[in-house]
Each structure stands twice: as structure tokens, then as C-alpha cells.
Amino acid sequence: MSTPMTWGTPQPERADAARNRQVLLATARELLAEVGPDCLTMDLLAERSGLGKGTVFRRFGSRAGIFQALLDDTERELQQQVLSGPPPLGPGAPPVDRLIAYGTARVRFLADNQAVARATLDGRHAPGRRRPLSEIHIRVLLREVDLPGADVEVLAGQLAYALDGPLLLQLFAGPELAGPEPTARFEAGWRDLVERVCGVSGA
């Protein structure tokens, strides 16, 4: 059975700050549905939410920060499934099965949220930036697999990069994946990668 893990406990928020965050996220989702990501701005969010522009800047820092907050909020459901959902994504399945399930879920998550994920990249975020929670989860599962001689720290980072948002988004848009079912191809590629790394018979 997989080792229990935590994904970090958020710092407590003041009641007024928590209310503002919920109002801003809800308003941002409404605007995203109405005008699309290209027209969602800090000024428009402040105007529609009824909160001051300074509040919006303090909360998000930049326009890209709005989309990062939306993406993080949506990703909490995936994190909860990893922590306590049914196997193989949640606890209770063999580590290789959990690795495959996690990568598959990450690929689908980014495929379903491509517009928001792309809008988080404002030029200051270099492609291939780390996803620490992914790396921690992958490291825990690799240690359970027991790979003699493997540098699990390095290997976990390399596998986490394979699921990194900017990298996957770049590949989603690449001409080499033009055509039907690019998401299914990524899922199959992740399964093949994990099985080869973990020495699964028949990989």
C-alpha cells in the first residue's frame, strides 16, 4: 500500500481576505466564460467584482497571477483525489499503477484547462518550471518501487518535468501532434515511460 503523504497545509487567511479571494475567483470564472482569456484584465476584474484595483493587485500581482490562481483552485480537486480518492489515483494501488494514474490525470487536467494554463505564462515564467508537489508525489512512489542503483531524487525531477505545464502545452501545440487524440498519445507515452523506468515486464 502506498505511503500516506500530504501536499502542504495552506496558511490561515483572514476572513476578509478569504471572502475577497472567493469573490475574485468567482468573478474571474464568470468573465472567462463571457469574454475569454484574452480579454480578462486586472481592470475588468476589479470593476466587475466591485473591489478596488489595489485589492486585485495585492491578491494576484499580475494578470498572469489571476490565471494561476484559477488553475491552482481547479487543481485542488486533483490533489484531493491523489490524497484520498479511489485507487489507482488515490491510495491503495501498487506504486507503478499510481504513477501511471497520476501522470494520466495531470495530462487530462492540462488538456482540459489549456486556455487558462497558457494565460499563466506571461514571459517571466520560463518553460519547464518545477511543479514541487508533483515531484514530491512521484519521489514517494518511486521509493516504493525499489529501483536498485537509481538516483530517485534526480529521476523524480525528470519525471515531474515530463508532466510540467509549459512543456506539455508547448507539445500540445506542436505540429508533430497535429491530428486526432493528442491527449491519448500523451497518456500512452507517460505509461510507456513509467513502465520502462520501473522495469515493468513487457514495457
Side-chain angles (χ1 to χ4, degrees), residues 166-191:
L167 176 60
L168 278 179
L169 291 172
Q170 182 179 356
L171 293 174
F172 269 127
E176 65 275 7
L177 286 178
E181 299 299 333
T183 303
R185 292 177 65 186
F186 274 116
E187 292 173 13
W190 173 256
R191 173 184 290 273

Side-chain angles (χ1 to χ4, degrees), residues 75-154:
E75 194 173 11
R76 285 195 182 95
E77 183 178 345
L78 172 59
Q79 293 175 3
Q80 194 57 45
Q81 289 296 310
V82 171
L83 287 172
S84 57
L89 184 57
V96 172
D97 292 346
R98 292 200 71 195
L99 277 168
I100 292 170
Y102 178 69
T104 299
R106 280 285 301 164
V107 168
R108 291 177 185 174
F109 172 80
L110 286 168
D112 291 343
N113 294 277
Q114 282 188 65
V116 173
R118 288 184 191 283
T120 67
L121 308 177
D122 62 357
R124 294 177 302 175
H125 297 98
R129 66 192 179 97
R130 281 185 179 278
R131 298 289 301 180
L133 297 180
S134 282
E135 191 168 335
I136 291 168
H137 184 53
I138 291 169
R139 186 186 304 125
V140 168
L141 294 175
L142 285 175
R143 285 174 178 159
E144 292 183 22
V145 174
D146 186 19
L147 302 171
D151 187 335
V152 171
E153 300 294 322
V154 170

Side-chain angles (χ1 to χ4, degrees), residues 26-87:
T27 305
R29 288 192 189 94
E30 291 173 3
L31 289 170
L32 192 62
E34 289 178 20
V35 303
D38 292 342
C39 297
L40 203 171
T41 65
M42 303 284 271
D43 288 339
L44 183 57
L45 181 56
E47 178 184 346
R48 177 67 72 88
S49 67
L51 296 171
K53 192 172 179 180
T55 300
V56 177
F57 271 97
R58 282 192 299 273
R59 169 57 64 179
F60 299 122
S62 68
R63 180 177 176 275
I66 298 171
F67 295 99
Q68 188 61 59
L70 287 170
L71 197 66
D72 290 346
D73 194 56
T74 305
E75 194 173 11
R76 285 195 182 95
E77 183 178 345
L78 172 59
Q79 293 175 3
Q80 194 57 45
Q81 289 296 310
V82 171
L83 287 172
S84 57

Side-chain angles (χ1 to χ4, degrees), residues 155-170:
L155 192 55
Q158 290 173 322
L159 288 174
Y161 274 122
L163 297 175
D164 188 75
L167 176 60
L168 278 179
L169 291 172
Q170 182 179 356

